[in-house]
Amino acid sequence: MAAKFKAPRGTFDVLPSDSQARARVYVAAAMAFERAGYGRIETPVFEETELFARGVGESTDIVQKEMFTFEDQGGRSLTLRPEATASICRAYAEHGMHKLPQPVKLWCWGPFFRHERPQSGRYRQFHQIDSEVIGTDSPLADAESIILLSDLLSELGVPGVRLRLGSLGSHESRKAYRDDLRAYLRQHEASLSEDVRSRIDSNPLRAFDSDHEGTQGVMEDAPTMLDHLDAADAEHFEAVKRAVSDAGVEYQLDGTLVRGLDYYTRTVFEFTSDALGAQSALGGGGRYDGLVAELGGPETPAVGWAAGIERILLALGETEDEPSLDAFIVAPESQRDRALGLATEARRAGACVDLDLAGRSEKGQMKQADRTGAKRAVILAEDGSAKIRDMATGEERPLDTSDVAAEIQRERGK
Ligand code: AMP
C-alpha cells in the first residue's frame, strides 16, 4: 500500500531500529557533560526571528537562505531554531545567569532546522549536541571544550576523526585583516563566484568556505587571519594549543577555517571524519566573546560547539540493536490475564518483559518470542504451571509460579 503522506523533504523518522544507537550517543554525551560539571538546558524550538538575525549574523547563509520563518496569529515573526548558541545566550541574559558563579557551563540536545538541499548527512531537521561555556575568556575553557568533544567521539568509537584548529582573532584585530582580505579579493574579482563577489564588503571571510573552483584557487594564496593575530590573540591561541596538546589531542592548524556563523572570535575548530563523504563535518565551534552583549546582555566572553548526531551515527555505520527483553510470556487463552499480571509484576521489579497482545496461538507466540530476541520464554500451561525456556539453547526447566517475577529477575542477573 502506497502511503498517502510522507515525512517532509529533508526530514526523517527515527524508528525503533535506529533509536538504540541514538540513545547510546545521548547517554555518552550526558555522562561526559556531567563528569565535566555542565548543566542541561532546554530552550524552545522557535524564537523571535530577530534573535537569529542578530545572533547568527545577517550576512550568513543561515539567515539569508536557510531559516524556516513564519508569522504567528499575532503577526510576530518567529523562526525554527537553526542553531543553539543564540538561544542559550538569550536564556543566559534573560535569567540573569551572569550573577551565578562564572563560568556557566550548559549543554543541550535536540532538533534544529535549516532549509538546505537535502543529501546524505544534510537534512532540514537534524539533531545536535551543543556545549556552551559562558562567562570566561580563559584559553583553558576553549581547550576543555575541544577535549570534551574529542573524548566523546573517541569513547563512541567514531572512526577517522580529525581536528582542525584556527583563530579568527578578536573583533578589533580582525577589522584590519578583513581590509587586507577585501583588497586581495578585489584584485582577483574576475575569478570569484558571484556569491563571494557580492559579499566582499559584508563578509569577505566566507570566501574560504566557497565550493566554487575559481574561488578556491584564489583562496589558496589568500592572506589568513593566523598571520594577523595581535599579541594578546596570539598568546591566547598558544595557550589553547598547548592545553589541547597536553591532553594528547592531535590537531592540524588551519588558517582557512572560518565557520559559517558570524559571531566567532579567536579560537575556531572543526572535527571531521574520514568515514563520511562530502558532508564530513562531525561538529565544531569556537569562541564568541561578543555575542551575549550583542543580544542585550552584559559583556560576556564564551566558547562552545555543536556536533551533528546524524553525522556521528553515519560515521559509526550500521550497528545491530541489542535485544533487551529478559523474557517473553507465552500463554494459552485461559492464562492471558495472568500473563499480563506476571508481566506487570516483573516490570515493576525492573525486568524487561513482553507478551502477546494480538491473539496469537501458542505456536505463534513462541515465534513472536523468537522474533523479539527475548532471552527467555516463560511458558504458562492450562493447569497454571509454568516453565522457563532459554531461547538460545532450547533448555527448559519448571518455574515456581508463585514467584515468576523474582525468577525472571534471578535469571537476568546470571
Ligand atoms: P554548525 O552549527 O553549522 O556549526 O553545525 C554543527 C554540526 O551540526 C555540523 O558539523 C554537522 O555535524 C551538523 N549539521 C549542521 N547542519 C546540518 C544539516 N543540515 N544536517 C545534518 N547535520 C547538520
Side-chain angles (χ1 to χ4, degrees):
M1 187 183 68
K4 184 170 162 66
F5 295 107
K6 290 189 169 159
R9 199 167 130 73
T11 71
F12 54 87
D13 300 305
V14 178
L15 300 174
S17 53
D18 311 321
S19 68
Q20 223 178 45
R22 203 167 267 266
R24 251 195 310 276
V25 176
Y26 178 86
V27 170
M31 288 171 66
F33 285 118
E34 189 174 335
R35 290 194 297 265
Y38 282 68
R40 178 162 173 204
I41 184 165
E42 289 181 40
T43 61
V45 292
F46 58 84
E47 299 266 4
E48 286 176 36
T49 301
E50 182 65 16
L51 176 75
F52 300 121
R54 289 185 68 151
V56 179
E58 294 280 6
S59 66
T60 58
D61 277 350
I62 291 181
V63 171
Q64 286 191 350
K65 307 186 214 163
E66 296 172 0
M67 297 208 300
F68 284 95
T69 296
F70 60 97
E71 226 175 62
D72 73 2
Q73 277 83 340
R76 284 169 289 259
S77 180
L78 300 172
T79 292
L80 295 181
R81 60 183 184 182
E83 58 103 52
T85 307
S87 304
I88 293 180
C89 290
R90 192 259 314 130
Y92 177 91
E94 181 174 341
H95 300 287
M97 290 190 222
H98 59 281
K99 293 186 208 123
L100 300 173
Q102 302 295 298
V104 176
K105 295 186 187 183
L106 300 168
W107 77 281
C108 80
W109 162 292
F112 294 85
F113 308 86
R114 294 183 195 170
H115 197 278
E116 299 194 85
R117 199 161 47 83
Q119 52 191 289
S120 171
R122 188 171 288 287
Y123 313 98
R124 291 184 173 169
Q125 173 173 343
F126 56 99
H127 300 78
Q128 285 185 340
I129 309 168
D130 188 84
S131 153
E132 313 291 350
V133 179
I134 308 178
T136 175
D137 62 4
S138 166
L140 294 184
D142 308 44
E144 184 186 56
S145 301
I146 292 169
I147 295 163
L148 201 150
L149 180 51
S150 173
D151 282 3
L152 176 60
L153 294 172
S154 78
E155 182 188 336
L156 289 167
V158 180
V161 175
R162 290 173 202 264
L163 165 63
R164 291 185 297 146
L165 188 58
S167 175
L168 294 174
S170 56
H171 280 306
E172 297 72 53
S173 58
R174 196 149 79 216
K175 263 192 208 119
Y177 165 66
R178 280 155 81 109
D179 288 341
D180 281 4
L181 184 60
R182 279 192 193 105
Y184 176 83
L185 292 174
R186 289 229 171 75
Q187 272 169 23
H188 297 87
E189 212 164 329
S191 313
L192 301 176
S193 74
E194 179 59 47
D195 197 34
V196 169
R197 238 180 296 154
S198 70
R199 283 196 272 193
I200 291 182
D201 278 326
S202 64
N203 198 348
L205 273 86
R206 288 310 309 278
F208 285 110
D209 281 345
S210 174
D211 47 20
H212 175 257
E213 215 173 295
T215 307
Q216 285 177 343
V218 171
M219 298 320 285
E220 275 173 22
D221 296 320
T224 73
M225 186 61 217
L226 281 184
D227 305 321
H228 288 70
L229 297 179
D230 66 22
D233 291 342
E235 194 184 321
H236 192 276
F237 193 42
E238 281 307 313
V240 175
K241 288 188 291 182
R242 202 164 48 236
V244 168
S245 290
D246 285 352
V249 175
E250 286 176 19
Y251 62 85
Q252 259 176 310
L253 268 192
D254 189 344
T256 70
L257 184 62
V258 296
R259 314 259 317 131
L261 313 167
D262 267 3
Y263 49 61
Y264 288 115
T265 52
R266 293 189 159 174
T267 315
V268 281
F269 57 92
E270 190 155 272
F271 285 87
T272 54
S273 166
D274 297 340
L276 294 172
Q279 306 302 322
S280 65
L282 289 165
R287 177 161 280 287
Y288 52 92
D289 289 345
L291 185 58
V292 176
E294 173 70 28
L295 299 177
E299 277 296 335
T300 313
V303 60
W305 53 256
I309 291 153
E310 288 76 25
R311 298 275 176 88
I312 292 175
L313 293 170
L314 272 174
L316 286 172
E318 295 285 318
T319 50
E320 285 273 307
D321 271 12
E322 289 275 319
S324 56
L325 280 184
D326 295 306
F328 190 97
I329 303 181
V330 173
E333 201 52 45
S334 66
Q335 298 286 319
R336 281 187 184 276
D337 288 356
R338 185 154 164 264
L340 178 59
L342 290 173
T344 303
E345 204 185 316
R347 287 168 185 167
R348 285 179 181 156
C352 303
V353 178
D354 205 0
L355 73 164
D356 174 55
L357 299 175
R360 289 182 180 83
S361 67
E362 282 165 87
K363 198 168 152 207
Q365 292 179 46
M366 276 310 293
K367 260 199 196 142
Q368 181 63 7
D370 203 36
R371 273 195 292 260
T372 62
K375 294 182 189 73
R376 298 161 203 92
V378 169
I379 304 163
L380 304 183
E382 292 284 0
D383 66 3
S385 68
K387 57 187 179 180
I388 190 162
R389 178 187 172 92
D390 184 310
M391 295 299 283
T393 63
E395 223 170 277
E396 288 183 359
R397 65 175 174 82
L399 202 59
D400 175 0
T401 52
S402 66
D403 205 12
V404 171
E407 280 275 4
I408 293 174
Q409 276 291 74
R410 249 195 306 282
E411 284 279 336
R412 187 175 195 229
K414 275 186 188 166

